[in-house]
Amino acid sequence: AQMVESGGGAVQSGGSLRLSCTASGFPSANYHMGWFREVQGKEREGISWISSDGIRTYYSDSVKGRFTISRINANNTLYLQMNSLKPEDTAIYYCAAGHNWRSHNMDYWGIGTLVTISS
């Protein structure tokens, strides 16, 4: 079982990026999924979750109104559309899947993709 992120990169402040995460080897449609980010020296931050059926979403205050989470279960894929990016959004972004809503204790994790925002 694995989850693989893609779409990271370097953009200027105010720009946009779309992260993708493809799950394989487990029934991802049965799991809630989330995006997390980590900056060296800081605690991993959970920024968004989406329910297994795609109906419920949650955003942290730090990204609310700028980021949009979505999923296509038929493709086992999770997305994060990131708009109005700021330098403080610079981090390694991870996707994850788990059974508990808004949990950091997820069952499956991706290896991460680096997002760098320059001012």
Side-chain angles (χ1 to χ4, degrees):
Q2 63 176 353
M3 303 183 75
V4 180
E5 303 93 341
S6 61
V11 298
Q12 289 189 324
S13 181
S16 298
L17 282 173
R18 188 193 196 203
L19 303 183
S20 300
C21 171
T22 301
S24 61
F26 68 100
S28 60
N30 296 340
Y31 289 73
H32 303 317
M33 299 178 84
W35 287 99
F36 299 75
R37 66 186 182 187
E38 189 171 297
V39 176
Q40 190 173 7
K42 295 187 177 180
E43 194 172 320
R44 182 173 293 184
E45 178 188 12
I47 58 173
S48 186
W49 282 263
I50 187 166
S51 58
S52 56
D53 57 9
I55 293 176
R56 269 188 302 170
T57 59
Y58 174 86
Y59 300 94
S60 65
D61 288 342
S62 59
V63 305
K64 193 179 300 181
R66 300 187 298 120
F67 292 10
T68 302
I69 191 171
S70 61
R71 65 190 294 169
I72 300 178
N73 284 341
N75 295 341
N76 300 310
T77 305
L78 173 72
Y79 301 98
L80 186 69
Q81 177 66 44
M82 307 187 295
N83 298 329
S84 302
L85 285 160
K86 306 173 182 180
E88 52 263 43
D89 293 319
T90 295
I92 298 174
Y93 285 70
Y94 300 87
C95 61
H99 284 299
N100 297 316
W101 180 241
R102 286 180 57 191
S103 173
H104 285 235
N105 187 21
M106 305 295 267
D107 297 300
Y108 301 100
W109 289 89
I111 61 172
T113 186
L114 178 63
V115 171
T116 304
I117 312 302
S118 59
S119 57

